[in-house]
């Protein structure tokens, strides 16, 4: 346990029951100190969310991957800005301002973010005062120099991708500044996760970002299980990992092809597209849904793997064919010329923003939630997290290639060692009781009142964070989710430095951040 | 600001003009020979020692070259031409530079006697250099008139390429080829005086109508000054050497002349001529880019300033004057035959040869050498283009649809009417600056991009330094300054020292005169 | 009689290039799809697309000028005239004296000039991107083309394409200079036709486009006409390469109807082979960085110049 965590625990006003990591309420001074410590690089900011009257900040201990949530009461609607000293928090704070109306004191950036002036109200989760649109244009950040032009791309793109606006200030092909304007797919996830049933909440969370539905369901299930103290059968734990790896495999294959396609190398997209399709079909056969949506529920999984043969056949086929495509990538000089040294993200920035997933691992940040904090069954599995230092598009492709092999390895291990037994424990009786695993079985304890759970799962983009507060009947009082893209998006603005306009699509695709997961 | 610029332009003009005149005087002095008869007929009949004739060529290149705007003596031109009122600029760029060309042709082809082959080398190198450097500067200018002035440098270069070819053929007694090159060159000089005047008038209209000549502040003038736009576009097409206008005909003839040069015996010329052909083609292509940019930024897209938004068309008479120029451009492009025929006495006199007589019929085409080698019919090309577009419009409108709906332009779903969301002139030229810039400039680019979360403005700084200033003029300038510093002590001598200096100078002169005689 | 026949052949040529051009595009798309293990649309799809487009109303931007409305027809007309003057199935076209190869290059330059201006007319950043890149590439592609023309003209003794074609049929020999010119011409053709690795005709990424970015604002019949001009240009370049470097099978002036038929069949075959090879190359290569293209096209310029210089040294190269 790092000194920071010890110090924070000592300074805590109260320590709340939150599983598996504690949540502490702190005063404004401790909050500020924690912020400074994060900005100094002693810990990583992992999440920032609000509820009426309180702010929560999830802090990741870089030493052992343990999390801690800091809570600050905000009786007067203000809190000390985290973004003032730690820029990665800025967009999260701007979202909180837009949704809750809480004011971050001293924030450098008071522009609206999620609120595009179309809601008719301000702070819908706070006062909800009605406010007619003022029509003021969004003030983009400045760029100076010889006559520059701006390129406004999106939110409606020519391709079938999610909406987001990008504003380039450029001199010819030289990009002087890139600024993102997101928030077009705001769905009100936070309100949907307030005072609802566990089932409804599970459905909502599974749909936060459709391509990571397994990771989200996984995280939600673990958070709910932690909050409710519910156990999960071994077979379900292993099946969950199987689904998570299949999802990662499918998405990485798709990404590798799509990145190459943005360099007009359609051959790779064709090959990888076929492989991805085969993965999805195998998933459909094995679990009844191509994307395995809603297959993981609190307490277990809903579909069992009756016959592992299709999955085995799948891994064999991919192992036969994928190396050829890797070789094709490696031997096509014209393609390498596009990816090598393009879109460089410095390890320093990656570390400061705590960016996870292939983007972080391509820039030397080895963080992988499967290793640390870690969750079952990965402790029993043999794998190593891919890592590269170059931080360019090429490195991001190679990390994905390595992870495809790693996922294949994991899938094979899981299939070989899949335990037998039930795939889910009934959740219903546990709702009124607390079930605590003990030596020799499960003990039942009466439940008292609200309880909280926190879970972090490694999706294909990086670490997904879900926080949940449930009441005594198993209903969801509040929930918060944080997509890995939240910390990846801002870095895309930095990765374009030194590149030309025409290389942006390649940089963007190599990041492949989620719009939906970011806009919530 | 503008005054300071004008003063500087005036100063540089004064210096270069005196320098050029000095060179011309010296050249004439050498030509006149010992008898000192300056009549053309006397000079023509006088015997010229080869090295002296060579010296005359060099002096003419320096003298006429500086007046015409040949690189590297062009530096005054882009400063002086735009500083004048636009109709005067038209006169300076369109006509006055041609006077220098005339002087050069008169002396070098007519008066200086038999040319040596290395004359052609010199003229070709300077011509090709002027063509490419001139247009490279032009493509980066944001002052419309200065852009046109630099384009004059380019066209003077093209004319000199033609003259260089003419010299090369003349020295090797290839009269037909020499006639082709010289005719093409003079035809181009004629064409240039037409379309450059047209363009300067257009720039003048823009200045009158909007009060701006910085193209970064213009845009959308096609709606407010439609006739000027129409005429300026014609000038742009002509100067970019696009068929069926006249600029293409003269450049095409020069290219045809180049194709005759493998028969040249000198190796240096054999290598140089195709290279200058490549330079000519490069200059023509860059000119097209330059004028797409000039017209596109000035007249098309959306207004970039209130001045452009409130611009108004100029008076009828100004427009009519320009129409007459455009019509001549078109005639010279579509029916170039008579123009070439009219030039044959000139080429007969200069190089003792002429192009074949251009047939008026059957094809209205021009033939540089012989029909089997190459021919071009501006009329038919013009006619076919008109017929084909007319046919396409008729067929589609009659048999398919002619419905039109107006709608806002595609904005990717993010309406932003600000004029900054369109290309600037500088942005348009940036790729060319990056690719070709190192030929003409020393560029320094530095960029600061704030990290995510830093709201400070991003900054791009760019400094372009003209290599010709840096490599030629700056050293001369510092040498002059250095010498002036040293000579400064002469101001503070005693009367006795002055007297002895005068005496020494007198003695030196007497000795010189004695030995010369 | 001979004159009527000559004009007839010229007329057939004009109609044929127009009729076959969309089919050529359809064929390249089909081949590309098959190489990428897709079914691909029918070869006739471009015809259907053009028909659909001309029937639609044209949507013009609010601030579109007369230049924007007229440019498509001028682009089409200049390209069509240029394509009509390249000998395809028969050498010795009647109007070939109207414009030689340099003039054909310049005609395409005119088309490009209007296209680049049309791209800037509306005042969107995409149009500017396209025009600026197009003009950059053209600054090298045009001189490269001129130098290639020089090489060919020095071998054949004429810049007149019909004469060149007849000369090549009679004296087809392997020459270093022609080899250089061929490679250069292929590079120029790829650049001029906005193919991979210079541009990507299939992309939807506005920021990477060249040709497509310029015509982003066009719709309806205007778009149809521009698409047709683009198809004509591709046909023109493949025919040009075939006419200079593989003139076999081309009908001579005095060949009868049978000779003409043979000429047409071999020409269609050459188009198929040429476009197939192009697509094969496209599939195996990624698009270049924008500032690599000048090196690529500059290579063509150097090859052309080298070819010309070799011929200046000795006519036998």
């Amino acid at each position: 346990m790092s000194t920071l965590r010890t110090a924070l625990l000592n300074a805590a006003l109260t320590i709340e029951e939150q599983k598996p990591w504690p949540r502490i309420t702190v005063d404004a001074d401790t909050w500020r100190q924690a912020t400074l410590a994060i900005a100094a690089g002693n810990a990583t900011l992992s999440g920032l969310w609000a509820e009426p009257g309180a702010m929560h900040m999830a802090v990741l201990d870089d030493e052992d991957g343990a999390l801690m949530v800091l809570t600050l009461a905000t009786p007067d609607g203000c809190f000390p800005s985290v973004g003032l000293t730690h820029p990665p928090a800025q967009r999260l704070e701007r979202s909180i301002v837009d949704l809750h109306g809480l004011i971050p004191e001293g924030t450098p950036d008071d522009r609206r973010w999620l609120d595009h002036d179309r809601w008719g109200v301000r702070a819908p989760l706070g006062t909800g005062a009605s406010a007619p649109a003022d029509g003021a244009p969004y003030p983009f950040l400045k760029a100076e120099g010889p006559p520059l032009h701006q390129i406004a791309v999106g939110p409606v793109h020519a391709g079938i991708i999610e909406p987001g606006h990008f504003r380039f200030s450029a001199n010819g092909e030289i990009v002087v500044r890139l600024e993102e304007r997101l928030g077009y797919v705001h769905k009100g996830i936070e309100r949907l996760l307030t005072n609802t049933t566990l089932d409804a909440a599970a459905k909502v969370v599974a749909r936060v970002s459709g391509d990571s539905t397994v990771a989200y369901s996984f995280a939600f299930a673990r958070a709910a299980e932690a909050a409710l103290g519910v156990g999960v059968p071994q077979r379900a734990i292993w099946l969950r990992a199987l689904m998570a790896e299949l999802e990662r495999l499918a998405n990485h294959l798709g990404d590798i092809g799509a990145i190459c396609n943005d360099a007009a190398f359609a051959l790779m997209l064709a090959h990888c597209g076929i492989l991805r399709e085969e993965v999805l079909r195998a998933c459909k056969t094995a679990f009844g849904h191509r994307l395995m949506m809603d297959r993981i529920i609190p307490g277990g999984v809903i579909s069992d793997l009756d016959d592992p043969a299709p999955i085995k056949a799948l891994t064999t086929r991919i192992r036969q064919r994928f190396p050829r495509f890797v070789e094709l990538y490696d031997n096509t000089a014209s393609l390498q010329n596009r990816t090598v040294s393009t879109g460089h993200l410095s390890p320093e920035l990656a570390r400061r923003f705590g960016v996870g997933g292939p983007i972080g691992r391509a820039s030397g940040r080895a963080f992988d939630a499967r290793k640390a904090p870690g969750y079952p069954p990965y402790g029993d599995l043999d794998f190593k997290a891919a890592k590269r230092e170059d931080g360019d598009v090429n490195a991001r492709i190679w990390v994905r290639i390595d992870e495809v092999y790693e996922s294949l390895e994991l899938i094979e291990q899981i299939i070989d060692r899949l335990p037998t037994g039930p795939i889910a424990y009934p959740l219903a009786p546990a709702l009124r009781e607390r079930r605590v695993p003990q030596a020799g079985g499960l003990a039942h304890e009466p439940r008292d009142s609200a309880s909280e759970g926190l879970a972090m799962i490694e999706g294909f983009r990086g670490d997904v964070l879900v926080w949940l507060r449930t009441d005594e009947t198993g209903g969801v009082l509040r929930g918060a989710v944080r997509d890995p893209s939240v910390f990846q998006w801002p870095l895309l603005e930095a990765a374009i430095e030194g590149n030309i306009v025409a290389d942006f699509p390649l940089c963007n695709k190599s990041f492949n951040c989620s719009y939906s997961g970011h806009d919530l | 600001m503008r005054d300071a610029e004008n003063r500087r332009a005036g100063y540089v003009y004064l210096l270069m003009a005196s320098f050029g005149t000095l060179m011309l005087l010296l050249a004439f002095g050498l030509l006149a020979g010992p008898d000192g008869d300056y009549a053309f007929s006397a000079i023509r009949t006088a015997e010229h020692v080869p090295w002296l004739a060579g010296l005359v060529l060099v002096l003419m290149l320096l003298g006429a070259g500086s007046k015409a705007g040949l690189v590297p003596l062009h530096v005054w031109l882009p400063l002086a031409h735009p500083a004048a009122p636009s109709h005067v600029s038209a006169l300076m760029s369109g006509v006055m530079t041609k006077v220098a060309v005339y002087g050069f042709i008169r002396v070098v082809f007519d008066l200086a006697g038999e040319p040596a082959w290395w004359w052609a080398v010199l003229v070709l190198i300077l011509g090709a250099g002027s063509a490419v450097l001139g247009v490279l500067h032009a493509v980066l200018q944001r002052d419309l008139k200065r852009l046109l002035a630099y384009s004059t440098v380019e066209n003077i270069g093209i004319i000199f390429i033609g003259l260089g070819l003419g010299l090369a053929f003349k020295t090797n007694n290839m009269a037909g080829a020499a006639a082709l090159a010289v005719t093409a060159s003079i035809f181009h000089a004629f064409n240039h005086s037409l379309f450059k005047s047209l363009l300067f008038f257009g720039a003048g209209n823009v200045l009158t109508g909007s009060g701006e000549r910085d193209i970064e502040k213009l845009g959308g003038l096609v709606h407010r000054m439609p006739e000027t736009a129409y005429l300026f576009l014609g000038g742009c097409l002509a100067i970019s050497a696009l068929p069926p206008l006249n600029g293409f005909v003269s450049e095409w003839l020069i290219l045809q002349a180049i194709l005759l040069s493998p028969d040249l015996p000198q190796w240096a010329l054999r290598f140089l001529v195709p290279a200058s052909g490549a330079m000519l083609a490069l200059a023509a292509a860059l000119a097209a880019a330059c004028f797409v940019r000039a017209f596109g930024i000035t007249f098309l897209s959306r207004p970039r300033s209130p001045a452009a938004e409130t611009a108004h068309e100029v008076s009828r008479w100004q427009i009519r004057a320009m129409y007459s120029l455009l019509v001549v451009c078109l005639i010279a492009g579509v029916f170039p035959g008579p123009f070439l025929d009219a030039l044959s006495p000139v080429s007969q006199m200069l190089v003792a040869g002429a192009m074949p007589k251009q047939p008026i019929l059957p094809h209205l085409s021009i033939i540089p050498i012989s029909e089997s080698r190459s021919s071009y019919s501006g009329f038919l090309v013009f006619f076919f283009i008109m017929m084909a577009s007319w046919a396409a419009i008729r067929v589609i409108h009659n048999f398919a649809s002619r419905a039109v709906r107006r709608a806002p332009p595609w904005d990717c779903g993010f309406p932003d009417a600000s004029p900054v969301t369109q290309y600037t002139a500088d942005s348009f030229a940036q790729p060319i600056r990056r690719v070709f810039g190192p030929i003409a400039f020393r560029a320094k680019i530095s960029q600061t991009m704030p990290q995510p979360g830093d709201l400070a403005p991003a900054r791009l700084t760019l400094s372009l330094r003209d290599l010709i200033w840096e490599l030629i003029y700056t050293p001369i300038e510092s040498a002059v300054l250095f010498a002036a510093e040293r000579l400064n002590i002469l101001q503070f001598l005693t009367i006795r020292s002055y007297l002895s200096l005068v005496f020494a100078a007198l003695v030196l002169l007497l000795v010189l005169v004695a030995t010369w005689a | 009689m001979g004159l009527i026949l000559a004009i007839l052949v010229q007329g057939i040529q004009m109609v044929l290039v127009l009729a076959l051009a969309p089919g050529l595009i359809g064929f390249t798309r089909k081949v590309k799809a098959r190489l990428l293990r897709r079914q691909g649309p029918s070869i006739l799809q471009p015809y259907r697309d053009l028909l659909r487009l001309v029937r639609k109303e044209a949507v013009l931007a609010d601030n579109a000028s007369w230049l924007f409305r007229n440019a498509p027809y001028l682009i089409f007309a200049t390209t069509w005239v240029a394509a009509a003057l390249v000998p395809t199935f028969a050498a010795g076209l009647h109007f070939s004296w109207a414009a030689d190869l340099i003039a054909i290059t310049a005609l395409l330059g005119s088309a490009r000039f209007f296209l680049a201006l049309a791209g800037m007319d509306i005042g969107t950043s995409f149009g500017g991107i396209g025009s600026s890149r197009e003009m950059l590439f053209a600054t090298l592609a045009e001189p490269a083309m001129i130098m290639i023309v020089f090489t060919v003209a020095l071998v054949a003794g004429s810049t007149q394409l019909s004469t060149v074609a007849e000369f090549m049929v009679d004296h087809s020999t392997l020459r270093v200079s022609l080899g250089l010119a061929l490679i250069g011409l292929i590079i120029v053709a790829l650049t001029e036709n906005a193919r991979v690795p210079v541009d990507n005709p299939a992309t939807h990424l506005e920021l990477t486009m060249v040709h497509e970015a310029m015509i982003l604002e066009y719709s309806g019949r205007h778009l149809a006409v521009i698409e047709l001009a683009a198809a004509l240009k591709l046909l023109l370049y493949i025919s040009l390469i075939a006419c200079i470097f593989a003139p076999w099978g081309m009908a001579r002036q005095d060949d009868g109807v049978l000779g003409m038929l043979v000429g047409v069949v071999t020409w269609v075959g050459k188009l198929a082979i040429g476009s197939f090879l192009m697509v094969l190359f496209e599939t195996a290569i990624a698009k270049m960085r924008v500032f690599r293209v000048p090196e690529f096209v500059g290579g063509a310029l150097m090859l052309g110049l080298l070819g010309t210089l070799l011929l200046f040294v000795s006519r036998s190269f």
Side-chain angles (χ1 to χ4, degrees), chain A residues 150-152 158-159 168 173 262-267 270-271 274 334-335 337-338 340 342 500-505, chain C residues 32 35-37 125-126 129 132-133 196 200 204-208 282-292:
Chain A
Q150 292 189 356
I151 310 175
F168 297 82
E173 302 284 343
D262 276 10
F265 197 69
L267 192 59
H271 285 315
I274 291 169
S334 57
L335 191 54
N337 187 268
R338 292 298 306 276
V340 174
T342 305
I500 63 170
V501 171
D503 283 334
F504 172 73
Chain C
K32 183 134 199 181
L35 286 175
L36 296 177
R37 306 173 69 179
S125 43
F126 300 133
I129 288 179
S132 154
R133 286 180 188 159
V196 182
N200 182 1
H204 61 81
L205 302 164
E206 299 99 333
L207 297 176
T208 68
E282 275 191 324
T283 311
I285 195 160
K287 192 175 142 179
M288 288 178 182
R289 289 171 189 249
V290 169
F291 288 110
R292 275 248 160 178

Side-chain angles (χ1 to χ4, degrees), chain A residues 144 149-150 167 173 175 177, chain B residues 420 427 430 447 456 458-459:
Chain A
E144 296 165 354
H149 72 276
Q150 292 189 356
R167 186 61 68 107
E173 302 284 343
V175 180
R177 177 165 227 157
Chain B
V420 295
S427 285
Q430 185 268 338
Q447 197 181 351
R459 178 169 293 281

Side-chain angles (χ1 to χ4, degrees), chain A residues 87 90 108-109 140-150 152-156 165 167 170-177 181 184 349 352-353 490 493-494 496-497, chain B residues 142 216 410-416 418 420-428 430-431 433-434 445 447-462:
Chain A
Q90 279 179 12
D109 193 349
F140 285 100
L141 296 179
K142 293 210 160 31
E144 296 165 354
L148 302 176
H149 72 276
Q150 292 189 356
V153 192
V156 184
H165 181 78
R167 186 61 68 107
N171 178 249
E173 302 284 343
I174 306 170
V175 180
V176 182
R177 177 165 227 157
R181 177 84 186 99
Y184 289 93
L349 266 182
R352 194 187 317 155
F353 276 72
E493 294 180 356
I496 194 70
E497 184 172 1
Chain B
R142 54 187 283 186
E216 298 285 12
W410 176 234
D411 53 16
C412 289
F414 194 102
D416 184 347
S418 153
V420 295
T421 56
Q422 59 185 338
Y423 247 54
T424 61
D426 208 55
S427 285
F428 191 90
Q430 185 268 338
R433 184 180 78 212
R434 169 160 168 180
I445 294 179
Q447 197 181 351
T448 46
M449 190 188 276
Q451 293 204 325
D454 184 350
L455 278 68
R459 178 169 293 281
L460 179 79
T461 49
L462 165 75

Side-chain angles (χ1 to χ4, degrees), chain B residues 117-143:
Chain B
W117 65 267
W118 60 266
W119 295 18
V121 173
L122 215 55
V123 176
L124 276 174
I125 289 177
L126 287 178
S130 301
V132 171
L133 288 180
V135 72
L136 265 183
H137 277 278
V139 89
L140 298 182
Q141 296 307 314
R142 54 187 283 186
D143 178 331

Side-chain angles (χ1 to χ4, degrees), chain B residues 425-506:
Chain B
D426 208 55
S427 285
F428 191 90
Q430 185 268 338
I432 293 176
R433 184 180 78 212
R434 169 160 168 180
V435 173
F436 295 99
I439 305 174
F441 303 99
R442 186 161 294 156
K444 228 168 73 188
I445 294 179
S446 66
Q447 197 181 351
T448 46
M449 190 188 276
Q451 293 204 325
D454 184 350
L455 278 68
R459 178 169 293 281
L460 179 79
T461 49
L462 165 75
S463 80
L464 280 183
R465 283 184 307 178
D466 188 344
L467 277 179
I468 288 187
W469 270 107
E470 229 170 60
L471 296 180
I472 301 178
Y473 288 91
T474 314
I476 291 178
E477 198 184 331
S478 37
V480 168
L481 273 180
F482 181 80
E485 284 287 319
R486 290 286 164 272
L487 291 174
N488 202 17
I489 50 166
L490 293 180
Q491 287 197 40
F492 307 103
L493 298 181
T494 58
I495 189 89
R496 215 176 44 199
S497 325
Y498 279 127
L499 283 176
S500 32
L501 271 177
V502 168
F503 181 70
L506 199 64

